[in-house]
Amino acid sequence: MSEAPSIKVTQLTKVFGKRTVVDHLDLEVFPGELYALLGDNGAGKTTTINMLTTLLKPTSGKFSISGFDGIADPEKVKSKFAVVSQDVALYQELTAFENLMFVSRLYGLPKEGAVERIEQHLNQWDLLSRRDDYIGDFSGGMQRKLSIAGALLRSPRVLFLDEPTVGLDPGSRQHIWEILTGLKHEGVTIFLTTHYLEEAELLADRVGIIVRGKLIAEGTIDDLRGRLNHMKSICVRMARRPNPEELDSSLSRLRNFAFGEVSYDELRNTFSIALTNERHLSVTLRAVTDWIETEDIPITGVSTSEPSLEEIYLALSHEGMTLLEKRPAPHVPASKET
């Protein structure tokens, strides 16, 4: 990309005692891009955001936001971003309007036009009718939407979102996705952590996968998909669950002619063939059709698909975990912080 990155991270590391939580992280995020950082609980996602938002001092490494050094010039960095954390930070004894007015004054926004601006944001988030209601009477989803509205009051060019849709109903999540898509089109840089892989698959321009503080994979979903051994898969969904004898027999016959790894997903009640070569798709489909005709188990459907982000994430996380377990840990100076 020709533009300078909005977020630039170089060898960023955080150590607590003897435990390295973020391990020599390198990444760049550009204007108008949504970057999703994915990882299990404890992988280092929130610690990364806490460092990038100046809440936590790195053990080593450096980062910049909108060209300003995050360590040497934290005050200028703070003026360039907004953040929505996992925990909703609102005053329960204040109304929705009063909360946003407090945020407006905290940001030092001009008093002129503040009421109109706040009401525009309340309307955008379907909260204008609750303008004068106390936050303590709001649902968790409404409180989270108001938190995001507050973060957007000063029109930041960089937005950090740490699990922004956790616990929300599908309609609220969809609303947030639509607004984030609009922000991207306006050139806002968005750094997102989420456990909802569907969310990342729909929104992210690029994805990073972090395992034990180490960024083990990064790229577009197509880039990451290309790292897997198979390009496509064929799934056969059964109308009922096979008994153990039927399962063994079906797997054995299917493996005789399939050009790929055959497995049975008990949770979804599907037989799957992960193709090792996309050129084998048509011949394997014909073979699967022949196999279906010989089976006594009725089926409800056959589908082909590329690996989903969930499959990509699980495969690359497992691969990364295996590599990290074999690799000696790098020496990092112990943190002196208490």
Side-chain angles (χ1 to χ4, degrees), residues 151-164:
L152 295 176
L153 268 180
R154 61 172 174 173
S155 302
R157 303 315 297 166
V158 177
L159 179 62
F160 291 97
L161 299 169
D162 193 7
E163 304 284 350

Side-chain angles (χ1 to χ4, degrees), residues 90-232:
L90 296 169
Y91 290 100
Q92 302 292 305
E93 67 276 14
L94 298 181
T95 66
F97 178 84
E98 289 168 341
N99 265 278
L100 293 192
M101 180 59 77
F102 176 80
V103 171
S104 175
R105 291 173 178 171
L106 193 64
Y107 284 153
L109 299 178
K111 292 182 180 180
E112 184 179 351
V115 172
E116 181 181 359
R117 182 171 181 79
I118 288 171
E119 290 184 341
Q120 287 175 347
H121 279 268
L122 288 172
N123 185 58
Q124 182 182 34
W125 291 97
D126 295 333
L127 294 172
L128 187 57
S129 64
R130 305 294 299 271
R131 176 190 189 277
D132 298 318
D133 292 347
Y134 291 107
I135 295 303
D137 296 329
F138 279 24
S139 68
M142 293 169 64
Q143 291 192 30
R144 187 163 293 277
K145 288 198 289 185
L146 190 66
S147 292
I148 301 175
L152 295 176
L153 268 180
R154 61 172 174 173
S155 302
R157 303 315 297 166
V158 177
L159 179 62
F160 291 97
L161 299 169
D162 193 7
E163 304 284 350
T165 61
V166 63
L168 296 189
D169 62 85
S172 295
R173 289 174 61 200
Q174 181 72 36
H175 189 191
I176 290 175
W177 294 347
E178 291 171 355
I179 290 179
L180 293 183
T181 299
L183 290 173
K184 283 172 50 180
H185 293 157
E186 294 171 8
V188 177
T189 302
I190 302 173
F191 190 96
L192 168 76
T193 73
T194 181
H195 283 299
Y196 296 119
L197 297 186
E198 175 196 12
E199 185 165 88
E201 192 161 12
L202 285 172
L203 298 177
D205 298 290
R206 287 187 300 134
V207 168
I209 298 176
I210 188 170
V211 174
R212 292 184 180 176
K214 196 78 173 178
L215 192 67
I216 54 96
E218 184 186 54
T220 66
I221 293 175
D222 284 340
D223 290 338
L224 299 183
R225 186 176 284 128
R227 289 184 51 171
L228 302 186
N229 291 330
H230 59 277
M231 292 296 295
K232 290 185 180 295

Side-chain angles (χ1 to χ4, degrees), residues 263-274:
S263 61
Y264 173 68
D265 185 336
E266 184 175 3
L267 181 64
R268 295 174 175 84
N269 193 28
T270 58
F271 288 97
S272 298
I273 304 170

